[in-house]
Amino acid sequence: DAGVIQSPRHEVTEMGQEVTLRCKPISGHNSLFWYRQTMMRGLELLIYFNNNVPIDDSGMPEDRFSAKMPNASFSTLKIQPSEPRDSAVYFCASSGFSYNEQFFGPGTRLTVL
Amino acid sequence: AQRVTQPEKLLSVFKGAPVELKCNYSYSGSPELFWYVQYSRQRLQLLLRHISRESIKGFTADLNKGETSFHLKKPFAQEEDSAMYYCALRGASGSARQLTFGSGTQLTVLP
């Protein structure tokens, strides 16, 4: 198993553009998590899904952020419009159940100019 | 609300020296505590959890409820221990059951 897969690995875009980050969880895992990593705030949970259903999106910073999980093998995190302060590394993680060990993807490094 | 504090963003020690990465938490109930590690160019991964009470790669961590701490310790640091370390807490119920991470400590072990 390749583990959690994220794409792209790096994204550079201009302020105001739409950004879509993608995640493929480990096959068979029921829970998926999106995190944002910054130097100042460390790792922050943005949203998580159980069985493709969003359970807690209280960490989503504002309405510019949205996440979907149309099926058990795919999730997207979208930022529209993007701003320079969104620059960070975005991690996706999955687990068998939401309270089990989480397995992280390699992350997407986003730079908004 | 639950909170995890790692007071040191950067920590450098020499090879063979003891190392302690500090972690303090605030949570009113009985939490589960974890240490995650991210080596250079590798994924974030679970290092150890307090429930297991085990030593991983020579690291140990003891949950001190009186001091609300979960410091990570190793008696003799190795260069391959250089990495980013995150302390994390999981509460007992509801939304608190999700992991809350600290801001991380970058450990550098010097030769």
Side-chain angles (χ1 to χ4, degrees):
Chain A
D1 193 339
V4 176
I5 298 173
Q6 290 186 247
S7 64
R9 295 292 307 275
H10 301 272
E11 176 80 30
V12 180
T13 190
E14 293 185 344
M15 182 174 64
Q17 296 298 307
E18 177 180 294
V19 174
T20 300
L21 311 181
R22 298 173 176 78
C23 175
K24 176 178 169 53
I26 292 173
S27 178
H29 279 187
N30 296 321
S31 298
L32 183 141
F33 307 82
W34 281 102
Y35 291 91
R36 180 171 64 178
Q37 181 189 45
T38 60
M39 282 294 293
M40 291 302 297
R41 302 170 70 95
L43 267 173
E44 302 173 280
L45 176 65
L46 300 177
I47 185 172
Y48 79 94
F49 296 82
N50 276 352
N51 297 317
N52 313 337
V53 177
I55 303 301
D56 184 355
D57 64 354
S58 59
M60 297 285 263
E62 46 195 280
D63 292 345
R64 297 184 297 106
F65 286 70
S66 62
K68 294 182 180 180
M69 192 165 185
N71 57 62
S73 60
F74 184 65
S75 177
T76 59
L77 177 67
K78 185 176 293 186
I79 308 173
Q80 167 63 20
S82 59
E83 297 183 2
R85 59 193 169 118
D86 302 330
S87 298
V89 180
Y90 291 81
F91 287 101
C92 176
S94 71
S95 66
F97 294 96
S98 61
Y99 309 143
N100 286 7
E101 177 183 348
Q102 294 181 20
F103 294 85
F104 283 77
T108 295
R109 182 173 295 277
L110 173 65
T111 303
V112 183
L113 304 174
Chain B
Q2 58 202 57
R3 186 183 181 95
V4 177
T5 302
Q6 294 180 249
E8 304 143 324
K9 283 196 178 298
L10 303 171
L11 180 63
S12 294
V13 300
F14 285 102
K15 177 182 174 181
V19 61
E20 180 179 71
L21 290 85
K22 291 183 167 49
C23 172
N24 289 90
Y25 67 90
S26 63
Y27 182 68
S28 57
S30 294
E32 295 178 60
L33 274 296
F34 306 82
W35 278 97
Y36 276 77
V37 62
Q38 186 176 23
Y39 300 103
S40 178
R41 301 183 187 282
Q42 294 188 29
R43 304 178 183 211
L44 189 66
Q45 58 188 289
L46 179 65
L47 179 63
L48 56 79
R49 62 189 83 191
H50 91 271
I51 288 178
S52 302
R53 302 183 67 84
E54 57 193 344
S55 173
I56 303 293
K57 299 184 179 183
F59 284 98
T60 59
D62 292 319
L63 178 59
N64 186 323
K65 292 186 177 181
E67 296 183 358
T68 60
S69 68
F70 188 58
H71 303 326
L72 184 68
K73 301 177 183 179
K74 185 170 182 175
F76 308 103
Q78 303 300 314
E79 290 182 67
E80 55 265 30
D81 296 327
S82 296
M84 188 72 163
Y85 291 82
Y86 287 97
C87 183
L89 174 151
R90 173 177 290 145
S93 62
S95 61
R97 290 288 285 163
Q98 297 315 310
L99 288 176
T100 297
F101 285 88
S103 55
T105 298
Q106 178 68 49
L107 173 66
T108 301
V109 181
L110 304 167

